[in-house]
Structure formats: C-alpha cells, structure tokens
Amino acid sequence: MNNDVLNTPIEFLKGVGPKRADILKSELAIYTFRDLLDHFPFRYVDRSKTVPVKNILESQGSVQISVTIKDVKELGQPRKKRLLVSAYDDSGTVQLVWFKGIKWIKPTIKIGHQYVVFGKPTSYGGSFNFNHPEMELEEKNKSKIGNLQPVYHSTEKLTAFGLHSKGMENLMRNLMPQVLKYIPQTLSNKIEQKNHFPSINQAYENIHFPKEKLFLQKSILRLKYEELFFLQLSMTRQKINTRNKLKGFIFKYVGDNFNDFFKKHLPFELTGAQKRVVKEIRKDLGAGVHMNRLLQGDVGSGKTLVAVLTILLSIDNGFQSCLMAPTEILANQHYKSIVNFLGPLGIKVSLLTGSVKKSDRKIIHESLENGSLNVLVGTHALLEDKVKFKNLGLAVIDEQHRFGVAQRAKLWKKNTQPPHVLVMTATPIPRTLAMTFYGDLDVSVIDELPPGRKPINTTHKFDSSRLKVFQFIEDEIKKGHQVYIVYPLIEESEKLDYKDLMDGYESIVRRFPLPNYQVSIVHGKMKPEAKEYEMNQFVSGKTQIMVATTVIEVGVDVPNASLMIIESAEKFGLSQLHQLRGRVGRGAEKSYCILMSGYKLSKEAKIRLETMVRTTDGFEISEQDLKIRGPGDIMGTQQSGVLDFKLADLARDGQIVQLSKIDVDQILKEDVNISKSGKCIYKKRINPSNEIKTKLE
Ligand code: ADP
Ligand code: MG
C-alpha cells in the first residue's frame, strides 16, 4: 500500500496552490492530504428541503432557498467593496451579499441560473439579506447522490481565499478519489464486525459526502470510536507496562487486626460501594503489583473508613502506614478519627505536623525507625528526609489535588520498594472521564452515601433578601449551630473581592456583635498561624460564624455547622460550590445552603445555581460541569492537549468511551503487546498535524 499519497503536501492538491496552502496551514493546520481528509464537516444541511422566500423568518436561523439570479453588482471603493446579488423565486426576492472573497465568488455566479442558497437571513429594508451564504448550482446540487450537504468550519481568512464551506467541499471532492484506496485499515475485522462499523474507507467517504442519514451516523460513530479507542489503548498500555515493571509488596494475609475490627469494632455496616472498593484494593494488594489507586467519593461518602481498612491490611502484613493531608487541621481531624477507630485494637498512631515540638518529633522519628509506631498521620511534614520508616507499606494521601505528582513520588522513596499508594479525593470527576483518562492512576469510585443522610436544603436568594437571611443565621445560632459565610476570591479582581470580604465581615460583626456572638475570619492574606488559630476557634465551637474565602474549601469537618452561605455564588464554578456545600450536613442536624447572588446572571451562572438547587449528587453535578466547561478545564493542565478530539465529545459520548474501553481491555487482556493481532494495524494517531508540523520545521 502506498501511504505516501496521504502524506503529500497539501499544495499539490488540485485547487490549492501555494497561497491557499499557506492559509490552510495557518488557519486549520492542514499540511497534508491526510490532514484535509481529517477535516470533518461540523454539520449537514438537508439539501432536499428549501423554503419559499415569502416564508423566511429571521428568527428561524439559517434556511435554505432555491432562487434564480437576477443581477450581480460590485459596489464601493476598492478596499471596501461589496458584491450584491439579487435573486428570486416565485414568491419573492432576496439579496445575497459578500464583503470578502469577491474575486473568488463573482465568477461562479451566473445570471439566469438557479441556485440553492443556504445562510442566515437578516431583515433589511422590507426584504431579506443573506451575508456570505453558501450556494451551489441547482443542477449540480440535484446531480449529487444523497441530500445531505456537508458544512465545514471556516474563518474570515479562509473565506477571503474562497475557502468557505463550499470551497472546502470542492477541495474534498478533488481529494477523495485520489486518497480513498490508500487510507490504511485501522481496526481489526473482529472489532468492525462486533460493533457493526462501516469500513474505514466507507466511513471517510460518508462523513464527507453522506449518502443517507443512518449510514452517516454509523460513519461518525466509527470515527469517534477510533479517536477514543486509540487514546485509551495507548494510555492503558502505558499503565499496564508501568505496573508490570514496578513490583509491589504482597499483602497476603487478611489477619487478626482486620478481622477483629471488622467483626467487633466496625461502628456500622459498610455501604455497597465501600465494600466494592475495599475488594478492588485487596485485589491490588494481593497481586504483587504496585498499587497506585485513586479513590473518588463525594464528600461524606466514607473514604476514611476505606483508608482505615487498607491500613489494617498493611499492619496485618507487618508493614507501617502513613496518611498525609494537605492542612494541619485536616491532619488533626484524621488523626482523631483514626485513633478512634484503631486505638481500641492497640495500634499505635502518631501525628506529625509543623507544630509538633522538637522533643516529640524525636520520639516519633525513633518509633518509626524501630517499627514500634504503626501509623503516622500528618501534613507534608511527612515528606521530610528525616522521616524514615522501618518498613512503610502503604501511603494514603487525602485530597489529592493539593499535592503534586512530585510529592507523591517522594513518598514512593520512603522504602526500598515503593509503598502502595491510595489517593483520596472528593473532587467529583465524571466517571467516564476518570476511569479512562486519569493518567497513571487506577480509579475506584464510591458512588453511594451512607444511609440516613439528610439532604442539604439548598436555596438561591437575591441580595435583596439579605435581611431575611440574617434572621435565618440568628435562628440557627440560637439553636446552638454554627454558620459559614463564604466570599469569592478571584485573582483578576482580587482587590475588589477583598473589599467585598471585609465589607461583608464588618456588616456581619455589626449585625452579630460581641459579647453574644463571636465571628471568625479566614482568608489567604493572613499568616498561616493566624489562619490556623481562627479555624481552630471555629472548629472547637468558640466562634459561631466563620467568614472566609474559599480557603475552607478542603475537607474541614465541623459537624455542628448547619448553614453555609455563599456570597456572589454566581462567581463560583460548580465543583467549587459543591465542595463548599459539603462543609455542612455532616452532623445530625438538618442543614442548609443559601446561594446569594445579584439579579444579573449569565446563562451559565443560572444553570450552575439551578443545578445546585436541584441536586446534591456530586457526580450529576460534575456531569453538568463537564457540559458547561468541557473536559480540558475539568482535568486541568494534566491532560491538556490529549483530550482535543476532532469528533468525540466527552460530555456527550460517554457511551462510546465505554464501548471502546471494553474493547481496549479485551484486546490487551488477550495480547498486551498487540503482537498477535494479525492483519489489524493499531496505529496511534493523535493530532497528526502536530507530527507533520514538527517534521516540516
Ligand atoms: P469523606 O469521604 O468525605 O472523607 P468520611 O470518611 O469523613 O467521608 O465519612 C463521613 C461520615 O460518615 C463519618 O462520620 C463516618 O464515620 C460516616 N460513615 C462512613 N461510612 C459509613 C457507613 N458505611 N455507614 C454509616 N456511616 C458511615
Ligand atoms: Mg475526608
């Protein structure tokens, strides 16, 4: 087969030439025949449907008409030329207008001929104008098989060179017969048959020039599937290879500690999701591979208990464990709950943070090295070189987005062979996204809350209801509860935001004065010690109100707090709102979240607030977030670029993600090196234009 045809530089295509080639490269990163082939239409127009001119409505958006050209005029000064074409059908007349690319368009428009015109009508002086419409001779239009016309993305520059959608379509018509038989096979027959996919050539031919709708859909499905399939294939292989290279400690036994705890000390029945996740973890730990697992679960889903059970397994097999949290407060809280769980079993637990005294540190260091200490809980103080374990077998990390990969790697080095790593996060990432694209980590999900949780009552109030909200705060405090009031802090408007925060704080202090009320404030500009002090005042119940920026976002646990007020809630992202709301509803009391906002709300802000009021399900919220923001933003820089698909849309194509994931897993299960796959060519093709680009430079 001759693959070189596909690598032919684009200037050699009929209808391109050096000038258009430059534009195609700079505007669309189309360097070769292959790149053009992969430039897909973004929608299709049904050619068979046209609207009589008299029935055009501006509000309809784009329409298609069938009209005859009456006359063609070029008006204006040389640099500000317009091409004005009037055209009619038997119900009325319209104007077709061009400001750019006149040189290319004009010769294609013939007076007296009938054209199919597609575009967006705007009302102008009693009739309709179409600016820069797509058009084609009616006879040519009719002669084409099928009635779906491809529409390609274009830009002003492209249009100026005659490469509007129609122009692109013409190039594609020149290209297709030249390359079609050289498109290499990508998927095995087995996969094609299993999924009822058209062949690769048929898929390409149909996505550009569809013959009918169903076949078009199948073609798009196949090409979307391929994008997801090859990315997952390469990521999963990478994961498997790393796994195979890294040996892990084998936790062979489920011993006395685990069983004792499970039978006698477990304060409640595990949820189904917790059970499943513990099973997944146990499978890793027994297999002799290195566990590097992300445990995802909504706030309050009971991740700590899963960590505790994993720690017990580690102890039963003669290993030490550590648990690292991003802040001192969180480390403290973890320490307390772990001592609560494990103390009765005679397991030794210590806490190491920046504020632990030197003399106490020394004791901790010693007991770690001689092995008498089983579990060390702490902040990043754990990472210091001085902290040496006798035999660290498991590292648990809470709230992973606060720690970088580099910090995780440091923990790996705390033993001759890396300890198993369990990373816990409450940042909901849509399941399809996490399971398939979370880099080097395997993912477990707790998708169920312990029974008996009272849903948090969430309402949206405008700033004008502030007096009522103040009254509500007073009522909650009278019941002995505590209240959070959170302000946004956005870098670009930092000064203004601080002013809002301080103004808000002052008005709260005025409304809730000493000595009956105590108000804490925490923000990023305070010294860490001052922050820590104020937080502790609130945690210990000495203050009733906590005014703060999002610094309190991460897992602080104050079960007595029953009300969360979020100021300027329209400025927060969905996942942040969800995290903040998760600070309440942790105790036995009915809890509330009030989202305050101004009247002026963008469409997206409205959707965010409505979503928050409608649901407390973190995964539903993250799916919505994915729809609004797109996967790139959600995954942060970690995966940037990798998730730029031409066709696939992770927010909508979850099913195709799963379909391809199943196939990838099956293939790799049969043959990790993909060596036996015979005729099938699994070829990774991510961003082909980038590859070419680097080659040309
Ligand atoms: P998170 O996942 O946010 O870290 P925690 O581990 O702090 O959640 O658990 C939240 C609360 O739920 C804790 O008070 C914990 O004791 C309780 N809990 C955990 N698992 C269960 C369960 N299976 N049944 C009832 N309560 C549970
Ligand atoms: Mg937690």
Side-chain angles (χ1 to χ4, degrees), residues 300 303-304 330 334 398-399 424 426 555 586:
K303 294 185 290 294
T304 314
L330 276 174
H334 274 304
D398 195 13
E399 304 295 356
M424 306 194 288
R586 303 175 82 80

Side-chain angles (χ1 to χ4, degrees), residues 1-273:
M1 260 200 222
N2 188 354
N3 268 327
D4 291 349
V5 174
L6 287 167
N7 290 329
T8 312
I10 195 66
E11 42 267 61
F12 296 118
L13 182 68
K14 189 179 149 221
V16 178
K19 265 213 181 116
R20 277 184 165 183
D22 282 349
I23 290 295
L24 285 170
K25 287 174 197 173
S26 64
E27 290 292 284
L28 297 173
I30 293 177
Y31 290 81
T32 63
F33 283 14
R34 163 108 249 173
D35 293 341
L36 182 62
L37 190 65
D38 284 332
H39 183 67
F40 300 119
F42 71 103
R43 64 185 171 83
Y44 301 84
V45 179
D46 192 338
R47 256 193 277 257
S48 63
K49 285 191 190 132
T50 55
V51 174
V53 167
K54 74 168 174 6
N55 290 352
I56 295 174
L57 288 173
E58 197 172 3
S59 57
Q60 259 172 349
S62 296
V63 291
Q64 187 160 262
I65 53 178
S66 179
V67 287
T68 307
I69 305 298
K70 195 157 75 189
D71 69 356
V72 179
K73 272 187 267 178
E74 221 177 311
L75 300 175
Q77 304 303 317
R79 298 211 139 261
K80 288 184 177 174
K81 269 192 194 153
R82 265 177 304 148
L83 184 66
L84 217 59
V85 174
S86 70
Y88 63 94
D89 68 4
D90 43 19
S91 72
T93 303
V94 293
Q95 298 283 330
L96 316 177
V97 189
W98 283 266
F99 303 98
K100 292 230 158 84
I102 293 173
K103 178 168 88 162
W104 300 90
I105 304 288
K106 200 177 166 192
T108 68
I109 300 175
K110 296 174 193 142
I111 293 174
H113 283 67
Q114 200 182 348
Y115 287 80
V116 178
V117 174
F118 179 83
K120 207 172 171 241
T122 47
S123 167
Y124 188 80
S127 70
F128 282 100
N129 271 7
F130 286 75
N131 291 341
H132 287 238
E134 308 285 341
M135 59 189 292
E136 183 165 42
L137 271 172
E138 179 70 77
E139 54 202 79
K140 217 169 160 189
N141 180 54
K142 277 208 189 104
S143 72
K144 278 175 196 154
I145 322 160
N147 47 24
L148 292 167
Q149 160 143 31
V151 183
Y152 296 91
H153 272 299
S154 194
T155 65
E156 235 178 69
K157 265 199 183 152
L158 285 163
T159 304
F161 281 83
L163 294 174
H164 42 27
S165 175
K166 194 79 231 159
M168 292 303 291
E169 187 190 332
N170 288 337
L171 292 188
M172 213 60 86
R173 282 191 193 283
N174 294 342
L175 177 75
M176 199 57 80
Q178 281 196 58
V179 296
L180 204 51
K181 63 176 181 217
Y182 298 113
I183 300 172
Q185 175 64 291
T186 42
L187 300 171
S188 67
N189 290 339
K190 203 169 138 192
I191 290 186
E192 278 185 359
Q193 275 160 19
K194 171 178 170 276
N195 295 306
H196 308 286
F197 286 150
S199 75
I200 185 75
N201 314 48
Q202 287 172 323
Y204 269 106
E205 202 177 10
N206 273 278
I207 197 166
H208 288 295
F209 305 116
K211 296 196 181 81
E212 52 102 20
K213 268 194 186 129
L214 191 65
F215 208 78
L216 170 63
Q217 279 163 5
K218 281 188 176 180
S219 301
I220 294 175
L221 174 67
R222 177 190 170 127
L223 294 169
K224 279 184 176 180
Y225 171 97
E226 281 195 22
E227 285 186 309
L228 297 164
F229 175 89
F230 287 112
L231 178 59
Q232 298 197 71
L233 188 72
S234 83
M235 290 186 83
T236 314
R237 276 189 72 193
Q238 227 171 325
K239 209 186 287 185
I240 292 174
N241 284 337
T242 324
R243 244 172 181 255
N244 290 347
K245 258 186 260 152
L246 266 179
K247 285 230 162 26
F249 297 120
I250 300 182
F251 291 3
K252 223 190 295 183
Y253 309 105
V254 179
D256 291 346
N257 285 307
F258 188 93
N259 285 325
D260 229 27
F261 178 76
F262 212 86
K263 286 190 194 121
K264 297 188 198 143
H265 300 280
L266 196 61
F268 24 63
E269 167 102 4
L270 292 185
T271 63

